[in-house]
């Protein structure tokens, strides 16, 4: 059960402002046509259409090796290392002359080669943070909107009330909010690239006193193709963030093995720690199983998320003032 508390009434958001400026609208497609799954969006890279995962949890927009090879991009060594939850690492990158998302055109886009397989690439927050991003998940609509509007004057769709969650960016890209799970409050990432909401095994054990593989928990096999990674589904009592309350949330507790293949040399100036010591799972990521019923407006300029529960009954009319984007900078 998902409920949205009355934190800020619609009338309180009304302001004597001009309309929101819509820059682009993109139709999202649930993977495997499953509404509980992650969302895919069409992307044009050097005039060829590819399908990228929409991933607010990613640090940088990325491209798969196969897609880079298909596009005949030069794949080069990079000093940026990309990790997945299995500890797989990519140290390669490629640059596209042009990348277009809807009407948003980005030039000279540097993209690490993703360690994930099975997708053409990921659109991540470094290509989102200069705008407001409006996500109507039940109706699978994504909007780029100008940040040039009055604070709080964002709600153009119908809802009885709207929740507000202060947010900050980790690494200037990863959307982080306070969550409360069974009475314990900590930071969590908003991760549209994750199908399932995930909790680090360390947080589960030390803060919530739930061990990995507690009695009655259901094991999850083959995480991202890794058969030895341990994960279990545990049912908690209550999760809240930004006025949204989710009763009896089913959350995957995941063994933290992200740094298993990282650089184990000692840190300069701190011989007690290796260079991979800070490569760890986030405390928690809020995945699509918790986001799929929400309309989420990410106001990067205000450092706030605006959240309402929305049923799939036809997408709301988009903000007025649509204009073509001549160019954009990631």
């Amino acid at each position: 059960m998902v409920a949205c508390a009355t934190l800020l009434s619609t009338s309180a958001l009304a302001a004597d402002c001009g309309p929101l400026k819509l820059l682009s609208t993109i139709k999202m497609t649930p993977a495997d046509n499953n509404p509980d799954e992650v969302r895919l969006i069409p992307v044009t890279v050097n005039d060829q259409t590819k399908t990228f995962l929409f991933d607010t949890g990613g640090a940088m927009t990325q491209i798969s090796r196969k897609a880079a090879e298909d596009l005949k991009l030069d794949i080069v060594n990079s000093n940026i290392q990309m990790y997945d939850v299995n500890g797989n690492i990519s140290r390669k990158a490629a640059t596209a002359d042009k990348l277009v998302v809807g009407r948003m055109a980005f030039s000279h886009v540097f993209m690490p080669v993703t360690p994930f397989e099975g997708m053409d690439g990921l659109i991540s927050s470094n290509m989102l943070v200069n705008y407001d991003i409006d996500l109507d998940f039940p109706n699978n609509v994504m909007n780029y909107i100008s940040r040039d509007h009055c604070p709080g004057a964002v709600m153009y769709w119908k809802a009885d009330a709207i929740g507000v969650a202060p947010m900050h960016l980790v690494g200037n890209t990863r959307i982080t909010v306070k969550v409360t799970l069974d009475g314990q409050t900590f930071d969590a990432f908003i991760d549209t690239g994750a199908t399932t909401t995930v909790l680090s095994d360390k947080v589960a054990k030390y803060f919530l006193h739930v061990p990995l593989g507690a009695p009655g928990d259901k094991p999850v096999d083959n995480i991202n193709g890794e058969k030895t990674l341990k994960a279990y589904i545990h049912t908690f009592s209550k999760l809240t963030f930004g006025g949204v309350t989710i009763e009896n949330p089913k959350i995957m507790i995941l063994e933290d093995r992200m740094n298993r293949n990282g650089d184990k040399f000692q840190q300069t100036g701190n011989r007690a720690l290796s260079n991979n010591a800070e490569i760890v799972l986030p405390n928690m990521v809020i995945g699509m199983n918790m986001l799929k019923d929400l309309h989420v407006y990410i106001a990067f300029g205000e450092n706030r998320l605006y959240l309402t529960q929305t049923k799939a009954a036809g997408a709301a009319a988009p903000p007025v003032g649509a204009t073509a984007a001549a160019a954009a900078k990631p």
Side-chain angles (χ1 to χ4, degrees):
M1 175 182 177
V2 178
C4 190
T6 305
L7 292 190
L8 194 59
S9 68
T10 54
S11 60
L13 290 177
D16 185 16
C17 303
L20 296 173
K21 300 182 181 71
L22 175 66
L23 301 176
S24 186
T25 294
I26 299 100
K27 182 67 175 177
M28 300 185 289
T29 301
D32 301 323
N33 292 316
N34 181 349
D36 293 341
E37 267 290 353
V38 295
R39 280 6 183 209
L40 307 175
I41 59 175
V43 173
T44 302
V45 184
N46 290 358
D47 299 322
Q48 293 189 41
T49 300
K50 296 292 181 182
T51 300
F52 277 33
L53 172 68
F54 178 70
D55 183 13
T56 59
M60 294 183 68
T61 293
Q62 302 164 48
I63 192 167
S64 71
R65 175 175 284 275
K66 182 179 184 303
E69 291 173 347
D70 289 346
L71 292 161
K72 297 181 171 55
L73 302 180
D74 288 333
I75 299 175
V76 299
N77 292 326
S78 171
N79 60 359
I80 295 175
Q81 297 184 146
M82 305 305 296
Y83 289 72
D84 68 10
V85 295
N86 301 332
N88 298 316
I89 305 172
S90 172
R91 298 181 176 91
K92 301 291 185 179
T95 299
D97 292 334
K98 184 170 65 173
L99 188 151
V100 180
V101 186
R103 287 194 295 251
M104 308 301 292
F106 302 87
S107 59
H108 305 296
V109 179
F110 174 86
M111 293 176 285
V113 173
T114 178
F116 296 105
E117 297 181 356
M119 65 188 74
D120 292 335
L122 296 76
I123 292 293
S124 296
S125 291
N126 66 314
M127 301 188 76
L128 308 173
V129 294
N130 292 326
Y131 312 92
D132 282 2
I133 302 298
D134 175 47
L135 301 166
D136 181 355
F137 286 119
N139 293 295
N140 296 311
V141 175
M142 167 190 173
N143 294 314
Y144 274 89
I145 296 175
S146 170
R147 285 166 48 164
D148 183 19
H149 60 78
C150 292
V154 303
M155 193 174 176
Y156 64 89
W157 65 97
K158 292 182 179 179
D160 294 333
I162 188 166
V164 182
M167 71 178 196
H168 68 275
L169 300 181
V170 171
N172 297 318
T173 57
R174 304 186 78 172
I175 301 165
T176 306
V177 300
K178 292 290 184 185
V179 301
T180 300
L181 179 64
D182 287 3
Q184 296 295 319
T185 299
F186 46 84
D187 287 341
F189 290 160
I190 300 296
D191 189 356
T192 62
T195 299
T196 304
T197 295
V198 175
L199 184 69
S200 163
D201 63 332
K202 294 179 177 62
V203 173
K205 179 179 179 180
Y206 294 112
F207 288 89
L208 295 157
H209 311 295
V210 178
L212 186 65
D217 286 0
K218 181 180 177 181
V220 182
D221 298 323
N222 204 26
I223 304 296
N224 289 354
E226 175 59 68
K227 295 181 180 179
T228 64
L229 191 64
K230 295 178 182 178
Y232 294 83
I233 299 295
H234 182 84
T235 301
F236 291 88
S237 295
K238 183 183 295 185
L239 171 67
T240 61
F241 60 99
V244 172
T245 298
I246 301 168
E247 303 285 352
N248 303 315
K250 295 183 183 299
I251 296 173
M252 183 168 69
I253 301 175
L254 180 63
E255 179 185 18
D256 186 355
R257 295 176 63 187
M258 283 189 69
N259 67 7
R260 63 176 176 164
N261 294 321
D263 178 1
K264 295 179 175 61
F265 289 105
Q266 292 172 336
Q267 290 184 10
T268 301
N270 188 348
R271 299 184 63 183
L273 295 176
S274 62
N275 286 333
N276 69 350
E278 296 179 359
I279 306 300
V280 296
L281 276 177
N283 293 334
M284 186 177 190
V285 297
I286 305 295
M288 286 304 302
N289 65 325
M290 305 296 177
L291 299 173
K292 63 185 176 65
D293 295 323
L294 302 178
H295 192 138
V296 181
Y297 189 105
I298 309 172
F300 283 105
E302 302 175 34
N303 290 319
R304 288 183 176 183
L305 291 183
Y306 296 90
L307 308 156
T308 66
Q309 186 178 5
T310 307
K311 294 182 179 179
V320 297
T323 57
K329 293 293 184 182

